[in-house]
Amino acid sequence: MRLILLTASLLLAISVHAAPLQRPDFGDDTAVEAGVVDKSLKGQFQQVRQTVVDRTSDLVVTTMGFLGVPYRRGGNTVETGFDCSGFVRAMYNQTVGHLLPRRAEEQAAATQKIDRSELKPGDLVFFNTMRRAFSHVGIYVGEGKFIHSPKPGAQVRLEDMSGSYWQRRFSGARRVLSAQDDSLKSSGD
């Protein structure tokens, strides 16, 4: 519950800093119509914001349901077990309907680079665990923690990124853009 509240708070803070909605110029005779349009736009914005909160919450909650699933190299289902990128791919496909590439470095290339300070629940975190950048991936869940499928003999688990092992190996953060985000980006909005 605390994680959901954190996510909601982050989204609310972002919305407060967003540019105010511009009122269309209808002239003096249609001031009432302008108020209706503003309410409609605000309603649409609220709906989009709630959808983002719901999807992020669903993603984080879903990942937590897979704690304890064993690691398996090349694994991408709960029945077979997961490797790191198989876990991330399965979680995004099941909760958001977004199919990411299979390998960690391909997932890094297919997502938007963000600064570590911009991390939000649902973002991807990458680590250099095999002497190359982006050789390991997990899903950020908030409060400096991420969930991942770490290595043979281990299970899907929650880790703290501030631990010395993960701090030394951190190689970047990425955000998965939805189809809507991609279209906004390409239209210049």
Side-chain angles (χ1 to χ4, degrees), residues 75-77 82-91 102 107 137:
N76 54 15
T77 67
F82 293 108
D83 64 10
C84 66
S85 58
F87 175 69
V88 168
R89 186 174 200 232
M91 295 303 100
R102 180 60 182 91
Q107 290 174 356
V137 62

Side-chain angles (χ1 to χ4, degrees), residues 34-66:
V36 171
V37 170
D38 273 353
K39 287 181 182 177
S40 175
L41 289 174
K42 287 179 184 176
Q44 289 174 356
F45 178 73
Q46 297 267 351
Q47 185 178 12
V48 168
R49 186 172 61 198
Q50 187 60 45
T51 300
V52 170
V53 169
D54 290 346
R55 285 191 173 174
T56 301
S57 296
D58 288 349
L59 177 68
V60 171
V61 168
T62 298
T63 61
M64 295 298 183
F66 288 86

Side-chain angles (χ1 to χ4, degrees), residues 8-21 45-46 49 120:
S9 297
L10 287 171
L11 290 171
L12 181 61
I14 289 167
S15 69
V16 168
H17 294 300
L21 294 172
F45 178 73
Q46 297 267 351
R49 186 172 61 198
K120 296 178 189 174

Side-chain angles (χ1 to χ4, degrees), residues 86-109:
F87 175 69
V88 168
R89 186 174 200 232
M91 295 303 100
Y92 265 88
N93 190 31
Q94 286 178 19
T95 58
V96 182
H98 189 88
L99 190 61
L100 291 169
R102 180 60 182 91
R103 301 182 64 208
E105 61 270 8
E106 294 168 341
Q107 290 174 356

Side-chain angles (χ1 to χ4, degrees), residues 2-18 45 49 52-53 56-57 60 114 116-123 140-145 175:
R2 185 172 159 193
L3 190 55
I4 292 171
L5 289 174
L6 174 65
T7 302
S9 297
L10 287 171
L11 290 171
L12 181 61
I14 289 167
S15 69
V16 168
H17 294 300
F45 178 73
R49 186 172 61 198
V52 170
V53 169
T56 301
S57 296
V60 171
I114 59 170
R116 186 176 186 157
S117 64
E118 299 174 74
L119 276 169
K120 296 178 189 174
D123 288 337
Y140 186 73
V141 296
E143 299 182 6
K145 297 185 179 7
R175 181 155 297 144

